[in-house]
Amino acid sequence: MKLLISALIILIIAASVALVMRSDPGYVLISHGAWKLETTLTLTVIVLVLGFLALYYLIRFIVNAWQLPRRMRAWQNARRLQKARAALTRGLIQLEEGRWRDAEENLIKYATLGEVPLLHYLAAARAAQKQEAYERRDNYLRLAHESTPDADVAVSLTQAELQLSHRQTEQALATLKRLRQLAPKHGYVLKLLMKLHVQMHDWEQLLELLPELRKRKVVSAAEADEMEMRAYKGLLASAARASDVQTLYNIWRRVPKRLRAAPDIVLEFAKQLRAHSEELQCEALLRDTLKKQWNERLVHLYGLVQGPDPAKQLAHAEEWLNEYPKNPVLLLTLGRLAARNRLWGKARAYLEASVGVAPRGETFQELGNLLEQMDEPEAAREYYRKGLLMMLDNV
């Protein structure tokens, strides 16, 4: 449209000039020494315009010819960038699709030509990790760092993530320690450290890290509480490796009071008490805890503990029947305690009631043991068979 308007304007101007020149073409005399040139003004104007246009296009041609190599280089660079972008996009899609080898090839093909080589190398490292090509993974991480030295935190975070997923705990610990020096307040670094301590069962370090996790709000309050619970459970479980029961009690005293009533903590402590032959303390702990809160796992363990007085232990457990008369775990526990008191009929009634509410493999096994004591081998074998079948079905 603009070209049409311009052509129309030029045509109008040319027509106007032609009409003027037709009535009076004018006269031009050019003299230089003995040399003279006479012509009309119209022809002079035409020659000047044509000369100007010729000179303009000649200069433009020379300038374009001079700039041609630079323009070619710019065009080639733009094309390479376009290819690099396309390869990066294609590689990232293939990475998400699980086509690890194709993704790696596309990601590194134009890595050096891309606008952000860092992204190419980091994604290629993830693709190599999925193929268990750990040497190539580490090489891509090195190239990523060399391509963008200022992105040390980003590269190291990726390295730590990949090391953690491959369970290279020692290497991941070294990487994360260096990262914490570089970025001590970085939330994701703290979160990866938390995961690493859990993976390594390094409960002491996890407990040391928890205040920082809470302060930086890296995890929610509920998650922090869960991690704290897990750490103290892990410490109590680690006491099984100590022959000295005092170590177990020392750990228990370290558990915050607000956690000592938690069923998971009590259960772990009770198991370790049994493992150290502290049956009396275990029975008292379970009984006191169950007075305050009901928990089937604690009830189950209570039936396995050898209390100081089997009759009193049975009487305590029977008190719970008032609130939970049809609880299969309680009935199993009562059956075990009654059998320990050699109350064969009562034990059989409790165990059969438990099976009637919810059959369990271990309940059938207890019935088999009981009926052997009662000199009923055929019935005992039948219960053993049922218990074995149920256990196999649950495998």
Side-chain angles (χ1 to χ4, degrees):
M1 188 67 181
K2 290 181 179 179
L3 183 62
L4 181 61
I5 294 172
S6 299
L8 184 60
I9 291 171
I10 292 171
L11 183 62
I12 293 170
I13 293 172
S16 301
V17 171
L19 290 173
V20 172
M21 293 299 182
R22 184 178 179 185
S23 60
D24 184 9
Y27 173 76
V28 174
L29 172 64
I30 300 173
S31 175
H32 181 69
W35 182 82
K36 293 181 181 181
L37 175 64
E38 297 181 16
T39 184
T40 63
L41 178 61
T42 303
L43 181 59
T44 303
V45 170
I46 292 172
V47 169
L48 288 174
V49 169
L50 292 175
F52 172 77
L53 290 175
L55 182 62
Y56 169 76
Y57 282 110
L58 177 62
I59 293 172
R60 189 170 179 178
F61 173 77
I62 293 171
V63 170
N64 286 338
W66 179 266
Q67 293 179 344
L68 183 60
R70 183 174 60 82
R71 289 184 177 182
M72 283 296 295
R73 287 193 298 271
W75 177 81
Q76 289 173 344
N77 289 335
R79 183 163 178 78
R80 290 193 195 101
L81 284 175
Q82 185 180 6
K83 286 183 178 180
R85 289 192 201 105
L88 177 61
T89 303
R90 192 161 52 250
L92 291 174
I93 292 172
Q94 290 166 339
L95 186 62
E96 292 301 320
E97 291 175 348
R99 296 159 59 191
W100 319 125
R101 181 175 296 178
D102 294 339
E104 183 183 354
E105 289 178 359
N106 277 302
L107 288 165
I108 63 171
K109 189 173 183 180
Y110 295 104
T112 56
L113 304 177
E115 294 171 297
V116 190
L118 176 71
L119 297 181
H120 290 260
Y121 289 127
L122 290 182
R126 294 185 183 278
Q129 167 93 356
K130 293 294 185 180
Q131 299 172 75
E132 299 183 358
Y134 305 117
E135 289 186 9
R136 292 208 307 273
R137 175 203 69 185
D138 293 339
N139 183 51
Y140 294 143
L141 290 171
R142 179 182 58 78
L143 291 171
H145 183 266
E146 290 176 358
S147 69
T148 317
D150 293 340
D152 192 21
V153 173
V155 175
S156 297
L157 274 173
T158 303
Q159 185 176 28
E161 282 181 345
L162 296 177
Q163 288 168 338
L164 270 173
S165 65
H166 185 48
R167 293 193 171 273
Q168 293 176 300
T169 52
E170 295 298 327
Q171 294 91 326
L173 181 60
T175 303
L176 288 170
K177 280 183 176 179
R178 188 170 64 84
L179 266 172
R180 200 169 182 195
Q181 291 176 345
L182 291 172
K185 298 179 181 179
H186 199 294
Y188 194 50
V189 173
L190 296 173
K191 194 165 189 176
L192 287 178
L193 268 172
M194 179 190 74
K195 289 182 179 180
L196 176 62
H197 293 324
V198 171
Q199 195 176 102
M200 296 178 70
H201 293 179
D202 192 344
W203 309 120
E204 294 286 2
Q205 290 296 320
L206 179 60
L207 288 171
E208 285 186 20
L209 188 65
L210 273 172
E212 190 74 10
L213 293 172
R214 294 181 192 273
K215 180 181 176 182
R216 304 290 175 199
K217 297 183 179 180
V218 175
V219 294
S220 66
E223 287 175 310
D225 291 342
E226 182 184 348
M227 284 294 109
E228 187 177 21
M229 180 90 68
R230 190 169 182 178
Y232 281 113
K233 278 177 63 180
L235 284 175
L236 289 168
S238 69
R241 297 190 293 270
S243 57
D244 182 10
V245 71
Q246 191 59 44
T247 302
L248 175 63
Y249 284 114
N250 290 340
I251 294 173
W252 177 249
R253 281 190 286 270
R254 287 179 55 193
V255 177
K257 289 184 178 180
R258 59 187 171 80
L259 294 181
R260 288 187 190 177
D264 285 352
I265 295 290
V266 172
L267 181 64
E268 191 61 49
F269 183 43
K271 286 179 179 179
Q272 297 308 319
L273 285 171
R274 283 195 74 211
H276 287 83
S277 302
E278 298 284 296
E279 297 278 345
L280 274 64
Q281 291 80 355
C282 182
E283 189 272 336
L285 172 69
L286 292 172
R287 178 166 30 88
D288 291 344
T289 305
L290 286 166
K291 283 180 182 178
K292 300 170 186 175
Q293 58 179 321
W294 178 261
N295 184 275
E296 285 190 353
R297 291 177 298 166
L298 298 180
V299 172
H300 182 274
L301 184 58
Y302 191 73
L304 300 173
V305 174
Q306 299 283 343
D309 188 335
K312 284 187 178 180
Q313 191 173 348
L314 175 61
H316 285 307
E318 285 180 326
E319 293 175 2
W320 302 328
L321 272 175
N322 296 325
E323 286 190 68
Y324 308 99
K326 293 184 178 181
N327 186 280
V329 177
L330 175 57
L331 291 168
L332 169 60
T333 291
L334 289 170
R336 284 171 167 161
L337 294 174
R340 195 176 302 151
N341 283 277
R342 306 183 71 81
L343 302 173
W344 311 125
K346 180 180 278 193
R348 182 172 187 172
Y350 281 138
L351 292 172
E352 287 179 345
S354 178
V355 169
V357 176
R360 297 161 64 102
E362 62 177 327
T363 310
F364 283 124
Q365 293 295 310
E366 287 292 339
L367 273 167
N369 294 336
L370 178 66
L371 291 175
E372 278 192 351
Q373 295 287 334
M374 298 175 68
D375 200 21
E376 295 184 33
E378 291 297 326
R381 278 195 291 272
E382 179 62 19
Y383 280 127
Y384 283 141
R385 185 185 67 81
K386 289 180 179 179
L388 182 60
L389 288 174
M390 182 163 286
M391 289 177 181
L392 289 174
D393 287 341
N394 294 330
V395 172

